Amino acid sequence: MGGKGYTGEKGIKYAAHLVYRYLPVTENWIYSMVSRMKRYHGVFLATRTENLDKFPWDPVVAVREKSLPYQVIEKLHKEWFGYFRLHLQAIEKYRVSLIHAHFGTRGYYGLPLARKSRLPYLVTFYGYDVSAVPGKRGWRERYRILFDEATLFLTEGPHLKNCLIELGCPEEKVVVHHLGVDPEKIPFKERKPEKTIRILMAGGFVEKKGMHLGIRAFDRLKEKNTELWVVGWYRKDEPRHIRGASLIFSAFKEAKKKDKIKFLGYLSYEEYMRVLEKCHILLAPSLTASDGDTEGGAPVVLLDAMASGMPVVSTLHADIPEVVVDGETGFLVPEKDVDALVEALEKMINAPSLWKKMGKKGRQRIEKEFNVNIQAERLERIYDRYA
């Protein structure tokens, strides 16, 4: 194929988005970004589908509909990722202008598709694919091949960009592109002290979220009129989730304030927004997990909370300092330091006069630098260089 892609009605081009599953709820930022692009319509190329009711899209072209364990996928990657008959047909049908792979592992497995189509090939790294995957057998060499052949690499922030360069990616091939949320859909609310101060933690039950340390820090707070609300979930077929959940429930079992800790489970985005509005402080104690997994960039829950006017207590981890400005939109402490988390939480709880200032500055930062509408436009401008 090669060359410039097809420009359809009203100047619309097509960009293929290569993913494994379309689409886990933990990867909703991909849908959020692609759905707001105005000049490039997304063609999702997946190995299987899920949550089509939550993320309706057309077209989604899936090789397989049923779920298979990751180990089986590894063995079948030559069949699935080596030929991509259905995916090639979709690329030809929509006269796709470029391919954008999400996650470095997917980027590597998508190389045969990029070679066959001869299209510009962009790959976004998100975290685990940079911090943990290179330590697995064979992956440094695989990444070396990917770095050599792909057109461009995107990262959420400068920390992740530097990590990619340290792995051997040419610096001139890496561009920082922030994720984003839609501030217009997140009501701003000035946080004010109430009889009970509600602290929120949210995310998948994986070790890197540090929720087990968050529970321990909360349990040590001197302030009695506080509650910890935990929004989260875990996959019973995913080892990282199983370990993360085990750490969380172990910390909860040891806690003295069990009656003050509320597990809310998985919530829809609308339900989560209502919980967000009721809480006063976001606690995001992210860390480097025992298997090397990191946030890479920064958790999207930080963006939601700051957009809503909530002050944040988080860690000096990955690209979190790119989002949270220490002392201005929240407090940042060293990762894995429970004492520092306790100190920062007590400082925040006892200084409600800071909430208004931090909340306002946090909202402004999201509107300017992490607004999904602005970031979608910036991504389109990146596409324009190659499509």
Side-chain angles (χ1 to χ4, degrees):
M1 291 175 59
K4 295 291 184 180
Y6 172 69
T7 301
E9 295 183 7
K10 298 181 180 179
I12 300 297
K13 293 183 179 182
Y14 290 90
H17 293 271
L18 187 59
V19 297
Y20 165 45
R21 303 192 303 267
Y22 180 90
L23 190 68
V25 294
T26 53
E27 296 173 18
N28 62 351
W29 70 82
I30 298 175
Y31 181 85
S32 181
M33 188 73 68
V34 174
S35 64
R36 284 166 172 80
M37 299 180 78
K38 298 178 180 179
R39 294 184 290 107
Y40 289 85
H41 185 77
V43 179
F44 279 95
L45 307 179
T47 55
R48 67 177 177 88
T49 59
E50 59 185 63
N51 297 316
L52 288 171
D53 56 331
K54 295 182 177 68
F55 307 115
W57 195 261
D58 183 38
V60 176
V61 181
V63 176
R64 300 284 178 94
E65 296 298 325
K66 295 183 179 180
S67 170
L68 286 176
Y70 182 76
Q71 293 82 355
V72 177
I73 294 168
E74 281 277 308
K75 292 180 181 179
L76 295 178
H77 80 265
K78 288 185 178 179
E79 173 193 345
W80 286 18
F81 302 106
Y83 298 100
F84 283 114
R85 284 191 294 269
L86 288 177
H87 291 171
L88 280 170
Q89 290 171 5
I91 285 174
E92 293 169 358
K93 176 181 178 180
Y94 295 101
R95 300 180 68 177
V96 164
S97 297
L98 56 80
I99 303 172
H100 186 170
H102 296 272
F103 289 94
T105 49
R106 197 59 50 237
Y108 171 75
Y109 285 131
L111 278 173
L113 183 64
R115 293 166 184 155
K116 186 73 174 178
S117 66
R118 302 196 303 277
L119 288 172
Y121 192 45
L122 284 64
V123 182
T124 296
F125 279 78
Y126 292 99
Y128 176 79
D129 44 3
V130 172
S131 59
V133 171
K136 299 181 182 295
R137 184 178 179 182
W139 273 100
R140 283 188 175 270
E141 176 61 19
R142 291 174 179 177
Y143 276 176
R144 186 194 65 76
I145 297 170
L146 178 63
F147 295 153
D148 182 57
E149 295 192 30
T151 308
L152 188 74
F153 299 91
L154 294 85
T155 66
E156 296 176 50
H159 170 82
L160 193 54
K161 175 181 178 178
N162 290 334
C163 289
L164 211 58
I165 293 170
E166 289 175 1
L167 284 173
C169 185
E171 184 174 359
E172 64 273 13
K173 278 191 170 187
V174 191
V175 173
V176 171
H177 176 258
H178 293 154
L179 298 182
V181 296
D182 191 347
E184 295 179 4
K185 294 188 176 182
I186 303 176
F188 178 84
K189 176 186 175 183
E190 180 184 327
R191 266 46 179 204
K192 298 179 181 180
E194 299 179 45
K195 182 178 179 180
T196 299
I197 304 301
R198 291 175 286 277
I199 301 168
L200 174 66
M201 286 199 303
F205 282 7
V206 289
E207 185 183 356
K208 69 180 178 183
K209 298 298 180 183
M211 289 187 177
H212 57 296
L213 299 188
I215 290 173
R216 290 174 185 166
F218 172 78
D219 199 47
R220 288 171 48 183
L221 293 179
K222 297 176 183 178
E223 174 59 55
K224 296 181 179 179
N225 295 323
T226 56
E227 292 181 347
L228 178 64
W229 290 15
V230 182
V231 175
W233 62 95
Y234 71 101
R235 297 175 62 97
K236 295 182 180 180
D237 60 344
E238 171 57 58
R240 290 190 303 138
H241 283 250
I242 295 171
R243 173 170 173 74
S246 176
L247 289 169
I248 289 170
F249 296 135
S250 176
F252 175 73
K253 184 178 180 180
E254 297 171 0
K256 298 177 182 178
K257 300 180 181 178
K258 292 184 178 64
D259 60 323
K260 299 290 185 178
I261 303 174
K262 303 181 183 300
F263 287 91
L264 305 182
Y266 169 76
L267 302 178
S268 68
Y269 191 71
E270 292 73 19
E271 293 170 330
Y272 178 62
M273 284 295 105
R274 289 194 287 272
V275 167
L276 199 65
E277 186 178 2
K278 294 178 181 178
C279 293
H280 303 87
I281 300 166
L282 178 77
L283 174 59
S286 298
L287 51 80
T288 301
S290 55
D291 65 353
D293 190 14
T294 73
E295 297 287 2
V300 177
V301 295
L302 289 173
L303 309 183
D304 288 326
M306 288 169 60
S308 78
M310 185 183 295
V312 172
V313 172
S314 191
T315 55
L316 294 162
H317 171 81
D319 274 310
I320 289 176
E322 177 80 351
V323 179
V324 182
V325 181
D326 188 26
E328 292 188 16
T329 64
F331 295 134
L332 298 178
V333 304
E335 62 177 82
K336 301 182 182 180
D337 191 334
V338 176
D339 291 338
L341 284 174
V342 173
E343 183 179 349
L345 281 171
E346 291 185 338
K347 183 178 179 181
M348 186 72 79
I349 291 169
N350 294 321
S353 60
L354 290 176
W355 300 358
K356 178 179 179 180
K357 176 183 176 182
M358 288 184 167
K360 184 177 180 180
K361 287 192 174 183
R363 174 74 177 201
Q364 291 172 344
R365 182 156 180 76
I366 298 303
E367 289 177 336
K368 182 179 180 181
E369 291 295 335
F370 300 91
N371 183 325
V372 70
N373 300 298
I374 294 175
Q375 293 306 319
E377 181 183 350
R378 290 177 179 174
L379 184 57
E380 288 187 310
R381 290 204 296 267
I382 292 173
Y383 286 1
D384 286 341
R385 302 175 195 171
Y386 308 99

